[in-house]
Amino acid sequence: MIMASPHQTPGDWPVYGHTWASQYLQRALQPGDDAERTVRLSHAYLFLGPPQVGKTTFARAFATALLCTSPVAPCHTCRHCRLMALNTHPDFRMLQPTVKADKEFVVDRQKGELRAEMAEQLIRDVALRPMEGARKVFLIQDMHLANPAFANKLLKTLEEPPPHVVLLVTARHRAEVLPTIVSRCQVIDLRPLDQTVVREALQQGWQAAPTEADLLARLAAGRLGWAVEQLRHPERRAERDQQLATLWRLMAADRLDRLRFAGELASQRDNQHLFSLLEVWTSWWRDVLLTQAGAGEACSNVDALPRIGEHARQLETRTVQHYLATLKRIEGYLRHTVNVRLALDVLLLKLPAVG
């Protein structure tokens, strides 16, 4: 999904934010030989950053600039730019993690993987000359979901690709990618966007109402992709409301009810739902702590400020701090091989009580 800026003049990248990164890569695209460039164009780039911060969007924008034939790229008007906007450029290809479903592979960025046969096809495609222009660009999404065979087969291509090929790779964290792959790429760390940038993008690019844009910008933690997804899928915002209502109910519940909910949560196979709940609960307790510190204007859940104020008054600051630490610790455990039920039992039993 390209998060295009409404002001697309030649040289402007169709993304919101990440200005430092686009300016840095723009210098590598300037005409002239390597000695004249302030930044040398690399054969491979690794874009790192948290989920939905805009890594794929930014990489696609860079691919458009790489394929553009204008001296000031991207120009947004040449044949190459138009083909990229339509997602039909023959010299651009994106590889995404897939999972087998109903006898065929479908894209799944949660449970899918990049497989060995995908790397083999990529190697064959890399050897072919471009069809339209001077370059071929390959975007490999979510390298942290690559199986070992895919990663190992890709190493030689990353080290010595043909001169007409540029490889773009995205991943969440450097630690989740083989060091041998990281060493063969120029690394670009994309940081979360400023809250103001997200708010303005939602209003300008997606016509969100000011109040809605402000709430989503606060909750997004710098992830424009997350905010846009929430805007486009109201049912996901309803899920957040339900998760907060569940939190408030459990704070007044006894041990038996809390353990019953922990069991229900542990029996679910949807890890995305579990981590979404932990994220919502963490944002809530962070807001309570901010309010206790007299910094309520920085709260994320601005649509529930009265309830935040109640909890801030009823609980000790030390209690809130300890539970925030518990949330962080349990989330870390759940991302590794642990007894999920036991971890959730601890999380629910340590939940602060409010009558």
Side-chain angles (χ1 to χ4, degrees):
M1 176 181 62
I2 290 289
M3 300 174 190
S5 166
H7 310 295
Q8 291 190 3
T9 57
D12 284 347
W13 289 36
V15 294
Y16 288 98
H18 306 305
T19 304
W20 72 270
S22 61
Q23 290 177 344
Y24 175 81
L25 293 175
Q26 189 75 50
R27 292 197 294 272
L29 294 168
Q30 292 173 353
D33 58 28
D34 291 340
E36 294 174 331
R37 292 178 182 154
T38 56
V39 178
R40 185 177 183 275
L41 186 64
S42 177
H43 66 280
Y45 292 85
L46 173 59
F47 299 96
L48 299 174
Q52 297 182 304
V53 78
K55 299 184 295 296
T56 298
T57 296
F58 188 87
R60 284 183 60 94
F62 184 35
T64 301
L66 285 166
L67 293 168
C68 177
T69 55
S70 171
V72 181
C75 68
H76 310 293
T77 57
C78 73
R79 172 177 170 78
H80 295 276
C81 287
R82 295 198 306 270
L83 287 173
M84 282 298 294
L86 295 172
N87 200 29
T88 57
H89 201 296
D91 293 327
F92 173 80
R93 184 183 171 202
M94 181 162 70
L95 282 72
Q96 297 176 284
T98 60
V99 65
K100 196 168 187 178
D102 296 329
K103 299 183 179 181
E104 64 179 25
F105 287 98
V106 296
V107 174
D108 189 327
R109 299 185 64 190
Q110 299 297 324
K111 302 175 183 177
E113 66 176 0
L114 298 166
R115 308 180 318 280
E117 57 268 31
M118 299 169 71
E120 293 168 356
Q121 183 61 54
L122 172 64
I123 292 169
R124 289 193 291 269
D125 291 345
V126 161
L128 301 176
R129 299 293 304 175
M131 297 180 63
E132 288 275 346
R135 293 190 180 103
K136 296 184 74 171
V137 182
F138 295 85
L139 171 54
I140 304 171
Q141 189 180 49
D142 298 333
M143 181 60 83
H144 54 276
L145 296 180
N147 64 28
F150 178 96
N152 289 325
K153 285 180 179 294
L154 194 65
L155 286 177
K156 184 170 179 57
T157 301
L158 274 173
E159 186 173 15
E160 297 178 354
H164 61 267
V165 168
V166 178
L167 297 164
L168 311 179
V169 182
T170 71
R172 294 179 305 196
H173 307 290
R174 185 188 300 254
E176 294 180 309
V177 182
L178 284 178
T180 46
I181 287 181
V182 176
S183 66
R184 287 163 168 78
C185 299
Q186 182 169 336
V187 179
I188 305 291
D189 280 294
L190 296 182
R191 297 181 287 269
L193 300 177
D194 185 80
Q195 188 180 113
T196 302
V197 174
V198 177
R199 183 189 303 113
E200 292 177 353
L202 293 175
Q203 292 184 257
Q204 296 173 8
W206 288 271
Q207 290 73 54
T211 302
E212 186 175 38
D214 182 59
L215 173 62
L216 291 178
R218 289 171 178 268
L219 294 172
R223 301 163 299 166
L224 179 55
W226 180 91
V228 172
E229 189 175 74
Q230 297 290 312
L231 193 64
R232 289 178 168 172
H233 301 281
E235 69 275 8
R236 299 190 181 173
R237 280 179 284 168
E239 182 181 2
R240 164 191 168 259
D241 295 341
Q242 181 59 47
Q243 289 167 342
L244 285 177
T246 299
L247 171 65
W248 302 335
R249 175 179 63 80
L250 290 170
M251 290 175 67
D254 58 26
R255 290 172 58 89
L256 186 60
D257 284 340
R258 292 183 179 202
L259 291 173
R260 185 182 297 113
F261 178 76
E264 294 172 356
L265 199 57
S267 66
Q268 297 179 4
R269 296 186 177 182
D270 186 359
N271 288 337
Q272 185 177 7
H273 171 77
L274 173 58
F275 288 115
S276 171
L277 180 139
L278 294 178
E279 181 180 344
V280 169
W281 285 16
T282 298
S283 75
W284 179 263
W285 290 110
R286 174 183 172 276
D287 284 352
V288 173
L289 190 62
L290 284 170
T291 301
Q292 290 176 331
E297 69 280 358
C299 285
S300 299
N301 299 277
V302 290
D303 55 341
L305 290 177
R307 181 77 66 121
I308 292 172
E310 290 177 13
H311 290 174
R313 290 188 296 271
Q314 293 173 328
L315 296 169
E316 294 184 1
T317 298
R318 183 175 58 182
T319 300
V320 178
Q321 291 173 331
H322 285 173
Y323 193 66
L324 270 170
T326 299
L327 274 165
K328 183 177 181 180
R329 185 172 68 254
I330 295 299
E331 181 181 3
Y333 291 159
L334 292 173
R335 293 190 183 278
H336 299 85
T337 304
V338 297
N339 185 320
V340 175
R341 175 60 197 269
L342 181 60
L344 292 176
D345 282 350
V346 172
L347 183 72
L348 270 297
L349 290 177
K350 288 185 174 292
L351 179 67
V354 172

